[in-house]
Structure formats: C-alpha cells, structure tokens
Amino acid sequence: MLAMNKFRILGAAVVAVAATVLSSSCNDKRSTGWEYAPNMYEHIAYDPDQKNPNFADGKTAQVPPAGTIPVGFVKFDYPNNKDGYELAGTEVKTMLPQTQNNYAEGKVLYMHFCSPCHGETGQGDGTVVAHGFPPPPSYSKGQSSRGGAMKDLTDGKIYHTITYGVNAMGSYASQLSPEERWKVIMYVHHLQTL
Ligand code: HEC
C-alpha cells in the first residue's frame, strides 16, 4: 500500500514539473531556458548597437568629436595639390634623428620600394623602367615636373610626394609609416648629391 502511494506521489510530481516546464516555456517567448552565469548574457553594459538614453542622440556607439585623431596618428595637413606641395615644401621638416642607423634603414626601404623605378643610384633607371615604364627624373641631375631641380627638393616636398604620389607614381602612404618615410627621405637626400 505504501509502495503504491510512493509511486503515485512520484508520478504526480513528474506531471507537475512537466506541466510547469511546458507552460513557462510557452509564456516567455524570449526565454533561452536555463542559463549558466546569466550575467554574461544579460550584462549591465550597453552593446555598441543598443539604444542608449544617456546620450542626446540615443546611440551607444558615439562618433568621435570633430577634429580628434587616433592615438599615434601623425597628422599631415597639406592637401594633395600644388599649393599643398609647395607649402609642405617650406613648412615640413624631418624630426627624425639623423643617425647612421636611420640612414641604413632608409636605404633598405628605398631599395625595396623606390629603386624598381628610380634606380639603385636614383638616376631613374630602375628595372621597371627597363620594361617600358616612363622614367622618373634623376634625383641629382633631373628637373621636377612641378618646377625646380630634383637635387633641390626639400624634406616636405619629398614627404608630400611619398604620401600622395605624383602623376605616374602612386602613393606609398599605406606601405610606409611616417617614420619610415622620413628614413627613406634621408637616403633620397644622399642620392640627390650623386
Ligand atoms: C612605379 C614607379 C615608381 C616608384 C616605385 C616610385 N616612384 Fe617616385 N616617381 C616616379 C615617377 C614616374 C616620377 C615622376 C612623376 C612626374 O613628375 O610626373 C616620380 C617622382 C618622384 C619624385 C619627384 C617629385 C617631384 O616633386 O617632382 C620623388 C621625390 C620621388 N618620386 C620619390 C620616390 C620615393 C621616395 C619612392 C619610394 C618610396 C618612389 N618615388 C617610388 C615613379 C616611381
């Protein structure tokens, strides 16, 4: 008799639990069921794409204030035109220590990125030119297409050229960091004296 009762109680309990699970899972459509460490899902911090009452525009991901730049970003506020080139030519000077090490690194970078067109000694006779590419003017003896002798090109003019390119020469801004550009320029200054 007692054994029978035990089974009945157990059966009733199972039915009750099953009913609760069924009814509760149907009521709350957003329920994800049992969660381990729910703080990980229902966290207090706002997601970047979530509405946010703390800001006037109601967004969590705020646009940086106008004029701000990322940490480590080097500004070069000269436009890609003749005026920007001339202005950079008089205002922009290298801040790089003129050490033997920087010169040596500049030479390596020049050999990789510039010599295919400009040639190893900067005479505008690189391997690409031998295959029909229009030859750049010699750094020491040529004339710039923007006026003046190539040997007189200043820090800022060369930096402007590497950053934006000029005519058939493309920009090297994505290949060379500002510091690397200044190293290359050290070496170009040497080639201007050859
Ligand atoms: C794809 C070939 C090519 C490569 C690579 C190249 N250049 Fe040039 N470069 C040219 C050509 C062509 C000109 C002449 C453009 C003109 O004035 O019409 C030129 C012109 C220049 C000038 C003269 C700009 C002026 O004011 O007249 C400088 C300085 C210069 N290059 C530096 C570099 C440096 C530094 C590198 C390597 C980071 C480099 N170039 C890589 C083709 C190249």
Side-chain angles (χ1 to χ4, degrees):
M1 191 64 192
L2 195 65
M4 263 310 256
N5 263 346
K6 262 191 185 166
F7 277 119
R8 274 202 194 138
I9 292 166
L10 205 65
V14 168
V15 169
V17 167
T20 316
V21 167
L22 265 178
S23 61
S24 63
S25 64
C26 290
N27 281 347
D28 183 0
K29 287 205 168 60
R30 293 197 58 221
S31 168
T32 49
W34 282 22
E35 288 173 354
Y36 171 71
N39 283 1
M40 283 172 53
Y41 309 99
E42 321 288 345
H43 50 76
I44 306 163
Y46 288 95
D47 286 324
D49 59 351
Q50 231 175 347
K51 281 186 183 166
N52 193 322
N54 299 308
F55 293 109
D57 63 359
K59 295 174 183 168
T60 297
Q62 293 290 299
V63 178
T68 50
I69 52 172
V71 172
F73 183 83
V74 181
K75 252 168 78 163
F76 183 64
D77 260 347
Y78 298 88
N80 181 11
N81 55 34
K82 185 82 190 330
D83 285 349
Y85 168 79
E86 293 294 344
L87 200 62
T90 54
E91 289 184 354
V92 179
K93 303 261 180 314
T94 184
M95 306 267 267
L96 199 71
Q98 304 293 294
T99 62
Q100 201 54 43
N101 225 13
N102 285 336
Y103 175 85
E105 284 179 33
K107 179 176 181 179
V108 171
L109 291 167
Y110 176 87
M111 290 303 172
H112 285 138
F113 289 100
C114 321
S115 75
C117 295
H118 286 270
E120 296 197 354
T121 57
Q123 297 307 310
D125 56 355
T127 46
V128 179
V129 173
H131 286 84
F133 190 83
S138 154
Y139 285 132
S140 53
K141 305 177 187 78
Q143 292 291 314
S144 163
S145 66
R146 290 180 281 197
M150 289 285 282
K151 69 175 170 46
D152 296 331
L153 289 178
T154 56
D155 273 358
K157 283 186 173 176
I158 305 175
Y159 191 91
H160 188 282
T161 306
I162 301 176
T163 304
Y164 293 118
V166 54
N167 300 328
M169 175 182 155
S171 159
Y172 284 80
S174 59
Q175 284 98 325
L176 297 169
S177 72
E179 195 182 314
E180 288 171 331
R181 286 173 229 170
W182 286 120
K183 288 177 180 171
V184 170
I185 290 168
M186 270 185 85
Y187 194 68
V188 172
H189 281 323
H190 159 69
L191 297 176
Q192 286 174 302
T193 67
L194 296 182

